[in-house]
Amino acid sequence: MDMVNIKINNIPLSVPAGYTVLEAAREAGINIPTLCYLKDINEIGACRMCVVEIKGARSLMAACVYPVNEGMEVFTNTPKVLESRKTTLELLLSVHNRKCLTCSRSGACELQQLCNELGVESADRFDGAMPDTRRDESTAYLVRDNSKCILCRRCVAACADQHVAVIGPNSRGFDTHIGCMFERDLADVACVACGQCIVACPTGALTERDQCDEVLDAINDPSKYVVVQTAPSIRATLGECFGMPVGSNVEGKMVAALRRVGFDKVFDTDFGADLTIMEEAHEFLGRVQNGGVLPMITSCSPGWVKFCEHYYPDLLPHLSTCKSPQSMTGAMIKSWFAEKEGIDPKNIVSVSIMPCTAKKFETGRDGMSGAGEGLQDTDISLTTRELARLIRRCRIDFNRLPDEKFDEAMGEATGAAVIFGATGGVMEAALRTAADVLENRSVENVDYHEIRGTEGIKEAVYHIAGMDVKVAAVSGLKNADAVLKKIQSGEADYQFVEIMCCPGGCVNGGGQPVQPADVRNFTDLKAERAKALYDEDKNLPLRKSHESPLIKKVYAEYLGEPGSHKAHELLHTHYVPRKRF
């Protein structure tokens, strides 16, 4: 690697030749502030928060895009630099909704943090006319409040990176604002509900539709039996909301917190993940053996499913008919569990804690009423962020909680279910079961390393029972689009494909904790969070879904066989083509 010698604040450094000034300063222990910059997604040098003085340059330069070169001398904290950054913040505040005390991002807002750090004492120095703004509450999953937008374009870049690009800058000059084409509501365009725009936003301009009050109302209603389930990835991310290191596994504290919030039962969505594998593996084997539509593509990511319905409706027959683990668990709560406990399912409120905003959309989809007409599989879906707010609202000291276990009825799961939260995890879990069935024996190797990792597209060929099974694990809709084009043209010869909407899978979902840019740009959040899941899988006694005693019991007592008529009624669904414009 070619290295260059530079100085930053008179500190000599030797850094790779391809570095920007921002990256080089990080090596010297200096965090240059940014607002618009997101590595590999939004590198436009537009907000001017990262300006620095470079010896010999006539003006201040944007550190996020300015490359280092031999002998360069950089100064990051001169009076000229500090005054420029402070003025930029004051100009942003002059057209910003400053009702910070009631903003969901208060305390975790990058604009607020920079104002504190840079000593902004007056928020009204440039006060004058305010742009007309609107609040878009048209969807069931997301709220846009342009009065808090700073036009950093990070949401626009995130949406484009997802190959959706349904939002962008409208109008010009003082009237510039972020919106959909022709000023349509978000509900009227082909948004896939992934929420990646939310986790990219530095302020409170984009938030999930908060349903904490609905949950508390249900818990405080004596006629309701309120059950909660938590997705596999939540245990690896919730701790970040309470100051714990990225990748901390807080399963035990999470369960304890949910009990103290007041839920009647606390279940593990991993149970539904194991069920998903049983049904999905059976469906895959049936397609292979009976000449069904191949490749079969997974269907547990509702953002991906919605993307396919909008953009590739001709490929819908390739999707597995299996519901997601959220909906499978919800259906079993209102059928099998309700019958066992003698509870009228109409009195059950089924709540899920999920890593993505698309799960909110999924709860209202047609075909998500497995337990009977009028009985939604899941009534309310909260994101990880909402759960953290709910815990704080109930004044629960999360970090001091003991570790507790899930309730037994749906609290036992295998390692195959745990890894659902990482890209490639669903595929690996399915292969563990499919290999045993096809080989008619217990295959010792359960680690499919070729489809692990955070790369957007991973391919592998596995030799199982005398045949080659070519698979692909894909995350992020830009990568999904590339693979789907190959499937559409006949160029790809996969038998099984996993697609996850969010880059890196559920651990990087749009409902996960928001990390500031200086963390996102220099920490591999996807890898750190996924590691917690693979570590748990490695240490569990059972790592194949079909070996779970609870799963065996459910099929023996209630469902019969995988793919049975009852299983199809409860655990399978259908899809519909949707308009793109």
Side-chain angles (χ1 to χ4, degrees):
M1 182 184 296
D2 293 335
M3 306 292 286
V4 297
N5 299 301
I6 65 171
K7 286 184 179 180
I8 297 183
N9 297 344
N10 295 316
I11 299 169
L13 285 176
S14 181
V15 297
Y19 266 27
T20 62
V21 171
L22 180 74
E23 291 170 316
R26 183 85 175 190
E27 295 288 318
I30 299 168
N31 287 333
I32 295 174
T34 64
L35 276 175
C36 68
Y37 177 75
L38 280 183
K39 189 175 182 180
D40 300 326
I41 295 177
N42 200 44
E43 300 177 344
I44 58 175
C47 73
R48 312 305 292 175
M49 275 307 302
C50 68
V51 291
V52 295
E53 279 197 71
I54 296 177
K55 189 174 182 178
R58 289 184 294 178
S59 60
L60 299 177
M61 308 305 294
C64 68
V65 293
Y66 200 88
V68 297
N69 55 68
E70 183 65 32
M72 174 186 284
E73 293 187 41
V74 180
F75 301 92
T76 68
N77 292 310
T78 64
K80 186 177 180 180
V81 166
L82 294 177
E83 183 59 31
S84 174
R85 292 175 185 169
K86 192 172 179 179
T87 301
T88 295
L89 289 172
E90 290 170 332
L91 287 166
L92 288 172
L93 290 175
S94 72
V95 289
H96 189 73
N97 179 345
R98 302 194 291 264
K99 295 180 180 178
C100 298
L101 292 178
T102 55
C103 179
S104 64
R105 286 293 295 274
S106 183
C109 170
E110 293 179 50
L111 178 65
Q112 185 184 59
Q113 181 181 350
L114 287 175
C115 286
N116 289 333
E117 290 178 355
L118 293 173
V120 174
E121 297 173 354
S122 173
D124 56 5
R125 179 182 170 195
F126 297 110
D127 273 2
M130 294 288 285
D132 291 330
T133 58
R134 64 186 291 253
R135 186 178 170 92
D136 187 345
E137 299 181 87
S138 60
T139 73
Y141 50 86
L142 187 150
V143 175
R144 173 184 286 284
D145 184 351
N146 273 346
S147 72
K148 299 176 183 178
C149 177
I150 60 171
L151 296 174
C152 66
R153 271 70 164 182
R154 276 161 50 168
C155 63
V156 176
C159 192
D161 194 58
Q162 281 288 68
H163 197 75
V164 177
V166 294
I167 55 174
N170 291 344
S171 298
R172 301 171 114 186
F174 185 71
D175 295 320
T176 302
H177 61 279
I178 305 300
C180 302
M181 60 181 179
F182 309 121
E183 303 298 345
R184 289 180 177 178
D185 287 339
L186 199 59
D188 297 328
V189 298
C191 170
V192 300
C194 72
Q196 287 299 308
C197 57
I198 300 176
V199 290
C201 180
T203 68
L206 288 163
T207 59
E208 66 281 351
R209 182 178 285 278
D210 192 285
Q211 293 180 278
C212 290
D213 285 339
E214 293 175 47
V215 171
L216 289 174
D217 287 345
I219 287 173
N220 290 313
D221 184 342
S223 69
K224 300 299 182 185
Y225 192 93
V226 189
V227 179
V228 67
Q229 54 163 306
T230 66
S233 64
I234 308 302
R235 70 202 68 197
T237 58
L238 180 61
E240 295 171 35
C241 297
F242 298 95
M244 296 183 184
V246 175
S248 298
N249 189 327
V250 295
E251 177 183 311
K253 293 185 186 301
M254 174 182 69
V255 172
L258 290 166
R259 286 210 178 94
R260 284 152 181 77
V261 168
F263 289 101
D264 293 297
K265 290 291 181 182
V266 182
F267 291 147
D268 193 351
T269 311
D270 287 10
F271 163 79
D274 276 330
L275 267 184
T276 301
I277 290 304
M278 297 299 291
E279 293 298 314
E280 199 165 67
H282 178 271
E283 183 182 3
F284 173 65
L285 293 173
R287 293 194 188 198
V288 169
Q289 294 165 349
N290 301 317
V293 177
L294 292 174
M296 189 177 89
I297 309 177
T298 60
S299 55
C300 4
S301 170
W304 139 242
V305 170
K306 195 169 188 287
F307 177 80
C308 191
E309 290 176 325
H310 281 298
Y311 296 88
Y312 287 91
D314 57 310
L315 296 184
L316 288 175
H318 288 267
L319 268 65
S320 164
T321 62
C322 290
K323 292 178 179 177
S324 73
Q326 167 184 264
S327 294
M328 284 199 183
T329 304
M332 294 299 287
I333 286 170
K334 292 192 178 182
S335 57
W336 177 63
F337 173 75
E339 287 182 26
K340 279 184 61 175
E341 299 295 318
I343 304 170
D344 186 339
K346 293 178 182 177
N347 294 329
I348 293 178
V349 177
S350 177
V351 179
S352 69
I353 312 298
M354 292 288 134
C356 79
T357 47
K359 293 292 185 183
K360 291 178 179 287
F361 172 80
E362 183 184 72
T363 62
R365 284 185 64 103
D366 290 339
M368 296 298 173
S369 303
E373 189 174 346
L375 295 174
Q376 285 180 249
D377 295 337
T378 310
D379 298 297
I380 302 170
S381 182
L382 302 184
T383 62
T384 313
R385 296 187 294 269
E386 286 171 278
L387 174 57
R389 288 200 289 272
L390 186 62
I391 291 169
R392 289 193 181 98
R393 190 174 300 181
C394 294
R395 303 293 293 171
I396 295 166
D397 190 345
F398 186 82
N399 291 10
R400 294 182 60 195
L401 291 175
D403 288 343
E404 296 180 3
K405 295 184 179 298
F406 289 103
D407 287 304
E408 289 184 4
M410 295 183 189
E412 179 185 286
T414 69
V418 172
I419 61 175
F420 258 60
T423 172
V426 178
M427 173 68 67
E428 181 168 352
L431 288 172
R432 291 178 186 182
T433 289
D436 277 19
V437 173
L438 287 170
E439 295 275 0
N440 196 27
R441 65 185 178 90
S442 180
V443 177
E444 186 176 345
N445 177 36
V446 297
D447 295 316
Y448 293 80
H449 293 286
E450 296 82 3
I451 50 175
R452 294 185 182 181
T454 59
E455 296 83 4
I457 301 175
K458 294 160 290 188
E459 299 175 315
V461 179
Y462 295 108
H463 192 70
I464 303 173
M467 68 183 205
D468 288 334
V469 179
K470 186 173 183 180
V471 303
V474 185
S475 72
L477 295 178
K478 178 172 64 176
N479 296 315
D481 180 72
V483 169
L484 292 172
K485 279 184 168 61
K486 291 183 179 180
I487 293 172
Q488 209 171 41
S489 67
E491 181 183 347
D493 58 348
Y494 308 116
Q495 282 78 49
F496 196 9
V497 178
E498 175 202 304
I499 296 182
M500 301 300 279
C501 176
C502 294
C506 298
V507 290
N508 193 43
Q512 296 287 26
V514 175
Q515 289 285 1
D518 63 347
V519 174
R520 286 187 56 154
N521 291 331
F522 298 100
T523 303
D524 191 341
L525 295 174
K526 301 185 287 288
E528 292 296 322
R529 292 166 174 173
K531 183 178 182 299
L533 302 181
Y534 283 113
D535 285 348
E536 182 174 344
D537 164 48
K538 181 174 60 179
N539 293 317
L540 285 172
L542 297 175
R543 302 180 65 196
K544 300 174 182 177
S545 295
H546 59 283
E547 292 179 349
S548 164
L550 179 57
I551 292 296
K552 292 176 181 178
K553 178 182 178 182
V554 167
Y555 277 102
E557 286 184 1
Y558 198 71
L559 294 174
E561 298 292 329
S564 68
H565 178 70
K566 194 167 190 69
H568 267 274
E569 282 185 333
L570 286 167
L571 309 178
H572 291 253
T573 189
H574 61 273
Y575 313 105
V576 293
R578 298 179 188 272
K579 291 189 299 183
R580 193 167 168 185
F581 301 110

